[in-house]
Amino acid sequence: MGYAYIFGTIFFTVYGQLILKWKIDQYGGLPELWRDKFIFIIQLLLNPFILSGFLSAFVASLFWMAAMTKFDISYAYPFMSLSFVLVFLLSVFFFGEPITFQKVMGVSFIVLGIIVMR
């Protein structure tokens, strides 16, 4: 069951990041004026998808607390790096972000690091 807690942490972390990116892209850039920035932020905070992204961060932390009851942190924490890998892959698929040699090498090092730490 411990690995399910780690998976839940990763899933909800990745979901939150992708949802926030998706919705914030739809709203556009941060305005220049402080008043407009405040209105912009309030609009974001009232968006149900943005709220689900924040809620997913909270749920991810609950899963992480559960995972900490099953594993040493030095063992479990490297798995959190998989969120970087998944965000990279899904951002290419959903947002059309570019795949570069540097990004592929970085993701490869992350995966190698997980293998070595395990």
Side-chain angles (χ1 to χ4, degrees):
M1 191 65 183
Y3 289 103
Y5 296 143
I6 291 173
F7 173 78
T9 305
I10 294 167
F11 174 82
F12 284 105
T13 299
V14 170
Y15 169 83
Q17 295 302 310
L18 294 175
I19 287 295
L20 291 175
K21 173 65 175 163
W22 172 51
K23 294 313 285 183
I24 289 171
D25 276 356
Q26 289 181 343
Y27 278 84
L30 192 63
E32 290 293 320
L33 300 175
W34 280 102
R35 183 176 120 345
D36 294 337
K37 286 180 185 177
F38 179 75
I39 292 168
F40 179 83
I41 297 297
I42 295 299
Q43 288 174 336
L44 287 174
L45 291 175
L46 294 175
N47 183 294
F49 286 104
I50 297 288
L51 291 175
S52 79
F54 288 140
L55 178 62
S56 74
F58 176 72
V59 172
S61 67
L62 295 177
F63 272 96
W64 185 245
M65 287 190 298
M68 291 297 89
T69 68
K70 302 292 182 189
F71 301 106
D72 291 337
I73 193 168
S74 62
Y75 178 80
Y77 200 70
F79 287 101
M80 293 304 300
S81 300
L82 289 174
S83 64
F84 296 116
V85 175
L86 291 172
V87 166
F88 167 68
L89 295 173
L90 294 171
S91 67
V92 168
F93 180 74
F94 287 122
F95 305 121
E97 293 188 5
I99 300 173
T100 64
F101 177 75
Q102 289 87 353
K103 289 179 184 179
V104 171
M105 288 302 297
V107 166
S108 299
F109 285 133
I110 289 170
V111 171
L112 182 62
I114 294 168
I115 292 168
V116 170
M117 287 289 294
R118 209 168 159 256

